[in-house]
Amino acid sequence: MDVMGDKATLFETGRFVQSSGEEPTRDEAAEAAEEARHRIQAEAGDVESMSVLGAMLLRRGDLDGAEPRLRAATAAGDRAAANNLGVLLHQRGYPEEAAGWWRIAAVAGSAAAAHALGRHHRERGDEPAAEYWLRQSAEQGHALGAYALADLLEHRGDADAGQWMRAAAERGHREAAYRLARALDRRAAAREDGTGTDDGAGAEAAAADTEAAEAEQWYRQAAARGHRRAALHLGAILEKRGELKEAGRWYLTSAKDGEARAACALGFLLRDAGDVESAAVWWLRAAQDGDGNAANALGALHAERGETQTAERWYRAAMDAGDDNGAYNLALLCAEQGRTAQAEQWYRRAAYAGHREAANALAVLLLQVGDTSGAEPWFSKAAEAGSVDAAFNLGILYAGRGEDRVALHCYERAAAAGHTEAALQVGIARLREGDEAAAERHLRCAAGGGSAEAAYRLAAVLDARRPPVSEHELGESSLNVKTECEEWYERAATQGHRRAQVRVGMLAAARGDVVEAARWYRTAAEAGSRNGAFNLGLLLAREGSEPEAAVWWERAADAGHGRAALRLALVYARRGELAVGQQWADRAVALGPAEVTERAGRLRDALREELSA
């Protein structure tokens, strides 16, 4: 069961004594007048007034004043008085004598007395007797009796428990309504987690929706009667559905009644709405009531503000409350401050408690200090617990050892869970294997997830499939329509991928868009791309700006671009600066590739002959 029920009252309704929590407020003067009237009538021998007056005094706590009235009314055969006399004796500490009077009232038909007698027997371990009397009470329509019977049957695993819990809920018992909602909620969740055929799955989903909707209605009824946990669950349902305003109202109702989890949830709702200060007030209230999640949230808030000592104090409070996130966040805080030993200590604490991200972070920390053998089991543990980052990191670990097949398996596992970089690695591996279809599939996933490298490689795969375009086909219609591969090149280029920027520049140049080509070449060159600098030089030279072109070629040549060095050799040779030209030709010979080496060698020899002539 989810929780034990509300403490069941031993009082009855109508002119019987009621629970102080359920008694409506009344005008004190009117109540005093009614008591005076019943007192006069009781002294005149009216049995009903004796019973009512005794109940009023009992409710007020005047046991000495209530007892003689109740005994007198009981002696006259009033069953309500017998029930309330039992209540009085139970409060005085005479449970057996109380049970005797309850039996008399129950036999006379008092449902409240039957409920009280059933509770009495259950407290003494006599479950058969307890069930008998509770059933008598429940079958007479007594809400508390139905609830107590349901609780007893549920404890025994009896299938009839649900029937009586529902009966109690329908009769207004708020704890019964809450527990019925919890049972429906759990059944709906179990259905959603189940598997089966398509038809079966559809039926299960429909049943789950029906049960979830009914659960919400019972939560709402219990919450409306002041059940704080029901208000909390109702708030969570509404928040999940996006009805944040109403969710906030129920969280507030529950939090004001002392539910720490509701105060914490209200804090998160307020934070998401931008009211951080009010959020902190509710988190503080929840944390002071022992809510670890709220303490952790306060720690994160103070950490964001740079108040590390206060943050650490709240993280420790979260740990003390059993929240493993406190240990994990404290480890992060220590790591940021360079306190590696303390970070490892807290990562270990959270990791041993089952915190998967702490296990992954611990493994990363161990890897950074060279403890590969210590890192591997923590990566494995985190990956098995569902950490996608750990599965990817495990792949990197195996790849570093040359265990490519095992690494690929780890990458595939992470990629299947949506890890972008893992999908890229799988795509690259499939390209090496020649499985272009599988490679494209994974590269699309990675590119869609924001990987610039994946977008570039996907564009290259698509680019390689394009048939060469002959000159007579280069009409305006084909030049102005961007292909899918160009769109992926542009996406990668926009994300700062230098090779993609060069390629986009080349495609723009092919379309005759010199300005666009120059923009992308310049962007790539300024980011350090030697090909971008070389191509920008070519573009500038064609546009008649050879001096500026030489500047970019020099930058490319200094970065190891052989063709740029050859171009510079030719520029200086034309200018008559033969010695400088020979130096650049020597450089081009050394840089290559073979074609450049051959041409640069011939140029160098010619310049050498001319210099020696």
Side-chain angles (χ1 to χ4, degrees):
M1 65 183 68
D2 191 57
V3 291
M4 290 301 293
D6 289 343
K7 185 177 179 181
T9 177
L10 299 181
F11 305 141
E12 200 165 339
T13 55
R15 61 191 178 89
F16 307 112
V17 177
Q18 296 185 16
S19 165
S20 59
E22 302 292 334
E23 178 69 14
T25 57
R26 299 179 61 189
D27 182 80
E28 292 182 3
E31 189 169 331
E34 184 180 359
E35 181 181 333
R37 179 174 61 81
H38 283 302
R39 190 180 296 275
I40 293 169
Q41 292 176 350
E43 289 174 355
D46 185 87
V47 174
E48 184 175 346
S49 289
M50 291 179 194
S51 180
V52 173
L53 179 59
M56 294 176 74
L57 294 171
L58 177 59
R59 182 170 55 243
R60 199 162 64 217
D62 184 0
L63 304 187
D64 291 335
E67 185 170 353
R69 271 83 177 185
L70 292 175
R71 286 191 180 276
T74 299
D78 189 291
R79 70 178 189 185
N83 174 60
N84 289 332
L85 179 57
V87 173
L88 185 147
L89 292 168
H90 188 272
Q91 290 183 11
R92 286 193 183 278
Y94 302 110
E96 297 304 327
E97 188 178 354
W101 290 111
W102 283 329
R103 182 180 296 275
I104 291 171
V107 169
S110 170
H115 164 249
L117 189 57
R119 296 267 310 179
H120 170 80
H121 284 298
R122 188 178 181 189
E123 287 168 3
R124 276 147 185 76
D126 187 353
E127 290 196 0
E131 181 181 349
Y132 174 81
W133 289 110
L134 291 175
R135 195 174 291 276
Q136 294 292 318
S137 175
E139 288 174 351
Q140 291 181 63
H142 196 271
L144 292 174
Y147 174 74
L149 177 60
D151 188 64
L152 175 63
L153 295 174
E154 186 177 282
H155 174 70
R156 293 210 309 244
D158 194 307
D160 288 342
Q163 165 198 340
W164 290 110
M165 192 69 75
R166 183 177 292 275
E170 289 171 348
R171 292 165 189 167
H173 195 288
R174 68 181 188 184
E175 183 68 21
Y178 170 71
R179 285 175 63 174
L180 178 58
R182 293 294 295 139
L184 289 165
D185 225 351
R186 283 191 290 268
R187 286 212 299 269
R191 288 183 190 277
E192 288 175 356
D193 292 339
T195 57
T197 62
D198 290 341
D199 292 340
E204 286 290 292
D209 290 342
T210 300
E211 287 173 341
E214 187 181 0
E216 180 181 341
Q217 293 307 312
W218 286 115
Y219 279 136
R220 195 174 289 278
Q221 289 194 33
R225 293 189 177 99
H227 197 291
R228 69 187 193 187
R229 292 187 301 280
L232 167 66
H233 285 284
L234 180 57
I237 289 170
L238 293 166
E239 181 181 3
K240 185 177 180 180
R241 205 158 61 212
E243 298 176 25
L244 303 184
K245 190 172 182 180
E246 188 180 359
R249 285 201 300 269
W250 285 113
Y251 282 148
L252 180 61
T253 298
S254 181
K256 284 182 176 179
D257 285 341
E259 182 60 52
R261 290 175 296 170
C264 180
L266 180 58
F268 282 111
L269 211 59
L270 290 165
R271 182 205 62 183
D272 294 343
D275 190 353
V276 179
E277 296 307 317
S278 295
V281 170
W282 286 106
W283 282 335
L284 178 61
R285 181 168 175 174
Q288 289 172 337
D289 287 338
D291 190 283
N293 193 18
N296 185 60
L298 281 173
L301 179 62
H302 287 289
E304 288 173 5
R305 294 172 175 173
E307 301 165 356
T308 55
Q309 289 185 340
T310 306
E312 184 169 338
R313 178 167 62 85
W314 282 114
Y315 286 148
R316 289 181 182 274
M319 284 192 296
D320 293 341
D323 192 311
D324 300 328
N325 287 319
Y328 174 64
N329 286 335
L330 181 55
L332 290 175
L333 190 66
C334 292
E336 289 173 1
Q337 296 172 342
R339 296 154 58 192
T340 306
Q342 291 93 330
E344 181 180 343
Q345 171 192 351
W346 298 119
Y347 280 141
R348 283 190 185 277
R349 174 166 173 170
Y352 276 119
H355 195 294
R356 67 187 188 188
E357 297 310 323
N360 178 60
L362 174 60
V364 171
L365 189 65
L366 293 171
L367 204 59
Q368 288 171 345
V369 297
D371 187 1
T372 307
S373 60
E376 183 180 346
W378 284 113
F379 276 140
S380 296
K381 186 174 182 179
E384 288 168 5
S387 171
V388 181
D389 288 336
F392 176 69
N393 290 336
L394 199 56
I396 293 175
L397 191 67
Y398 285 122
R401 294 177 183 171
E403 301 178 42
D404 293 338
R405 297 310 304 172
V406 183
L408 180 57
H409 175 71
C410 294
Y411 289 145
E412 286 176 330
R413 182 176 177 180
H419 195 286
T420 297
E421 291 304 312
L424 170 62
Q425 294 302 320
V426 175
I428 292 171
R430 296 302 180 215
L431 278 177
R432 284 198 299 265
E433 295 169 357
D435 188 349
E436 191 174 290
E440 180 182 344
R441 187 171 65 252
H442 283 96
L443 289 174
R444 283 187 183 277
C445 289
S451 170
E453 180 66 23
Y456 172 75
R457 287 178 180 268
L458 174 61
V461 168
L462 298 173
D463 205 358
R465 293 179 189 165
R466 292 198 304 173
V469 181
S470 60
E471 291 186 7
H472 72 276
E473 292 177 321
L474 292 176
E476 183 178 351
S477 60
S478 64
L479 287 173
N480 291 334
V481 177
K482 290 184 180 179
T483 62
E484 185 187 5
C485 78
E486 289 181 75
E487 292 174 354
W488 284 113
Y489 276 135
E490 284 192 8
R491 180 180 293 195
T494 304
Q495 292 175 259
H497 195 286
R498 292 183 302 182
R499 284 177 296 169
Q501 290 167 346
V502 173
R503 186 63 182 143
V504 171
M506 293 171 66
L507 292 170
R511 289 196 302 271
D513 191 344
V514 177
V515 174
E516 182 74 359
R519 181 174 74 85
W520 282 113
Y521 287 151
R522 189 179 300 275
T523 300
E526 289 175 348
S529 169
R530 63 188 185 183
N531 284 329
F534 175 70
N535 286 1
L536 180 58
L538 289 177
L539 201 64
L540 291 167
R542 288 170 189 161
E543 295 296 313
S545 301
E546 189 175 83
E548 188 181 356
V551 172
W552 289 105
W553 283 332
E554 186 169 345
R555 180 182 291 194
D558 286 340
H561 199 289
R563 286 187 175 85
L566 178 57
R567 288 277 178 175
L568 285 169
L570 292 168
V571 167
Y572 283 107
R574 284 197 300 271
R575 290 178 184 174
E577 300 179 37
L578 304 184
V580 179
Q582 184 181 340
Q583 290 173 2
W584 282 113
D586 283 337
R587 187 81 171 274
V589 168
L591 292 173
E595 178 189 349
V596 170
T597 298
E598 182 184 351
R599 291 181 59 195
R602 290 199 302 269
L603 177 61
R604 179 188 61 188
D605 294 341
L607 291 173
R608 183 179 296 146
E609 288 178 9
E610 192 165 343
L611 284 168
S612 61

